[in-house]
Amino acid sequence: MAAGEFKVGLLGHGTVGSAFATLLSERADEIERFNGMRPVLGGVLTRSRGSYEEILEGSDAIVEVMGGLEPAREHLLRAMRAGKSVVTANKQLLSHHGEELYETAREHGVMLRFEAAVGGVVPIVRTLEESLSATPIERIHGIVNGTTNYILSAMSAGASYAEALAEAQRNGYAEADPSDDVTGRDAAAKMAILARLAFGTPVHLDDVRFEGIEQIKSDDLEYARDLDLSLKLVGSAERRQGGLSVSVYPTFLYPGHPLAAISGSFNAVTVESETITEITLSGPGAGGRQTASAVLGDVVSVMTGGARPPAPPLALELIEDVESAFYLHLDVEDRPGVLATVTQVLGEQLVSIKSVVQRGLGEHARLVMVTHPVLESALRAAVERLGAFDFIRSSPRTIRVIEEEFM
Ligand SMILES: NC(=O)c1ccc[n+]([C@@H]2O[C@H](COP(=O)([O-])OP(=O)(O)OC[C@H]3O[C@@H](n4cnc5c(N)ncnc54)[C@H](OP(=O)(O)O)[C@@H]3O)[C@@H](O)[C@H]2O)c1
């Protein structure tokens, strides 16, 4: 090894990997100037070139931007067991095998960095691990998927779901197969990682309740405007009833919420705690060069001996049935007594109404209301009962609402 060189073994040379290789050579002089060491590529592995063994042998650290669970997991474990620090952008891997990877990093005294796995270039991982490490966090809300935020922004401007998705694909914000994004699974993996960092409790992707945006109708967004609400796919991780609740749902926000103004493909994360009130970080959600820049930041952190792996886990119970305010959309027959029956059924489940919009549409009417916070199970019970009445014209639709505003 040449004196002062820091060799980076690169696993994967696709969108992120090739952007990383370019950025590394562009930034090497500057990194050497302030660190005294020059990062250089120690080898590249793809399906068709390179040998993992040789790359591992010849590198000081490993960067994994292959994606998928295997062989990414095995390669990272082997690198750490060989005493090498690793950097990854792989949210699926961390949300499935995080504890095994963190434990291996701790055991072998190496670093495991993963800023690019969550939030694009928004430095939320480092903020939670370092700046807020002494802050008891109450709640995190995040827009952590740029594709769905782009689609919902286009829908608020009047596009249908299909039109907005096609536009996102044309502009390179959505993959040809967007299922991981639009089903909420990508955001759920990221929230599992953030919840582990913020609350110390191991959270597997399977522990995160999630729902995507495929069922959202343009008229939900239209009514939302009347109620002064904007719709986002919001990931939440929060202390609830002595435990921890982690979820991803389409959610309405009032204008004073810091996430309400995040539009297009941007990401943003809000962290709340009694001691800091609220902070929000936002920035571009993804893209090869942006992600590569977060990966390179982690490589520099490894070179300079930055943060340690997450501490051994604590156990908070994972809570499923939590309180939230809800938007409730009912298509009903326009006849006397309907509203009274709806109100009575909701009242029996202790669902109280904050605001209502009613529109007559010939023989039927639309009732769109926002409830005060209520246990999800109680709202579901009320909706199931309402669905059985003959005056209901189509299945009731519900969407979560975050009531907080920070102004
Ligand atoms: N794209 C983004 O904007 C973005 C943003 C944040 C995080 N990420 C994460 O970054 C990672 C990479 O994403 P990407 O978009 O760069 O993926 P990509 O374009 O599909 O590139 C994957 C690369 O990994 C290589 N690879 C895959 N499986 C392999 C295997 N079994 N053995 C050897 N090489 C293998 C591929 O080799 P071949 O070239 O031979 O196919 C390709 O070079 C993923 O974990 C993704 O979730 C991506």
Side-chain angles (χ1 to χ4, degrees):
M1 181 170 84
E5 273 189 354
F6 185 87
K7 291 210 167 139
V8 180
L10 180 59
L11 313 183
H13 199 258
T15 308
V16 179
S18 57
F20 173 79
T22 306
L23 201 60
L24 183 71
S25 65
E26 284 171 13
R27 302 290 302 154
D29 284 349
E30 187 62 13
I31 295 172
E32 184 176 14
R33 197 174 65 78
F34 62 79
N35 284 317
M37 276 218 276
R38 184 177 185 82
V40 294
L41 275 191
V44 176
L45 182 75
T46 68
R47 288 189 181 90
S48 55
R49 71 164 155 143
S51 139
Y52 175 71
E53 280 68 28
E54 282 171 23
I55 292 171
L56 182 59
E57 179 67 31
S59 301
D60 299 303
I62 292 292
V63 165
E64 184 274 309
V65 283
M66 305 190 322
L69 298 183
E70 295 293 354
R73 170 182 156 275
E74 193 52 42
H75 287 345
L76 289 184
L77 290 173
R78 276 187 62 189
M80 291 191 284
R81 287 178 193 136
K84 315 228 168 165
S85 291
V86 298
V87 174
T88 177
N90 192 335
K91 58 228 149 194
Q92 293 299 345
L93 178 62
L94 290 165
S95 66
H96 279 89
H97 299 294
E99 290 316 311
E100 183 184 23
L101 293 162
Y102 304 147
E103 170 60 27
T104 306
R106 280 194 301 271
E107 200 181 313
H108 293 272
V110 296
M111 276 182 264
L112 165 61
R113 310 293 304 152
F114 48 91
E115 188 67 72
V118 187
V121 280
V122 178
I124 183 63
V125 170
R126 195 155 310 172
T127 302
L128 289 172
E129 279 180 342
E130 298 176 24
S131 318
L132 298 180
S133 59
T135 305
I137 292 166
E138 276 306 310
R139 182 177 303 123
I140 293 180
H141 285 310
I143 294 175
V144 289
N145 181 275
T147 306
T148 43
N149 205 48
Y150 184 92
I151 293 173
L152 291 176
S153 301
M155 287 178 76
S156 334
S160 68
Y161 172 74
E163 288 162 351
L165 174 58
E167 183 185 318
Q169 285 169 325
R170 256 195 323 277
N171 293 328
Y173 292 115
E175 307 273 332
D177 175 6
S179 10
D180 258 18
D181 295 321
V182 298
T183 58
R185 190 179 158 82
D186 173 89
K190 292 166 176 171
M191 291 311 298
I193 298 169
L194 289 185
R196 167 64 167 95
L197 287 178
F199 300 100
T201 294
V203 181
H204 188 280
L205 176 58
D206 295 344
D207 298 323
V208 183
R209 292 163 298 126
F210 65 91
E211 201 177 285
I213 62 164
E214 300 139 297
Q215 309 306 326
I216 301 294
K217 304 274 187 290
S218 302
D219 61 356
D220 288 323
L221 288 146
E222 219 175 278
Y223 282 96
R225 269 196 298 277
D226 291 350
L227 293 162
D228 210 13
L229 295 165
S230 58
L231 186 64
K232 307 288 175 193
L233 185 66
V234 176
S236 305
E238 48 194 329
R239 290 182 194 277
R240 287 290 184 108
Q241 297 139 235
L244 175 65
S245 161
V246 190
S247 62
V248 173
Y249 289 114
T251 303
F252 281 118
L253 302 170
Y254 285 96
H257 195 281
L259 299 184
I262 306 299
S263 62
S265 64
F266 267 48
N267 279 197
V269 180
T270 295
V271 183
E272 292 172 52
S273 155
E274 200 189 289
T275 43
I276 57 166
T277 315
E278 173 272 326
I279 59 164
T280 301
L281 301 174
S282 71
R289 193 165 166 86
Q290 289 85 344
T291 308
S293 139
V295 173
L296 185 55
D298 276 349
V299 168
V300 171
S301 166
V302 164
M303 289 169 69
T304 54
R308 305 282 113 206
L314 303 165
L316 282 178
E317 189 193 347
L318 290 162
I319 307 286
E320 298 219 332
D321 192 15
V322 293
E323 274 199 347
S324 170
F326 283 88
Y327 157 103
L328 175 59
H329 180 134
L330 299 171
D331 259 332
V332 296
E333 260 176 56
D334 197 2
R335 61 172 154 87
V338 166
L339 183 56
T341 309
V342 168
T343 320
Q344 189 194 334
V345 169
L346 293 175
E348 283 164 11
Q349 293 295 335
L350 306 178
V351 180
S352 78
I353 307 300
K354 180 174 173 176
S355 51
V356 188
V357 177
Q358 178 170 6
R359 280 200 200 148
L361 300 163
E363 287 183 352
H364 64 125
R366 256 183 215 148
L367 287 174
V368 173
M369 44 190 97
V370 174
T371 73
H372 285 294
V374 57
L375 267 183
E376 181 174 349
S377 53
L379 184 94
R380 296 273 164 249
V383 166
E384 200 180 319
R385 279 205 57 207
L386 285 173
F389 283 95
D390 63 353
F391 60 73
I392 296 282
R393 307 290 296 255
S394 59
S395 299
R397 307 208 296 263
T398 59
I399 295 176
R400 282 162 180 73
V401 176
I402 291 178
E403 287 211 303
E404 289 173 291
E405 301 188 63
F406 300 90
M407 303 262 265

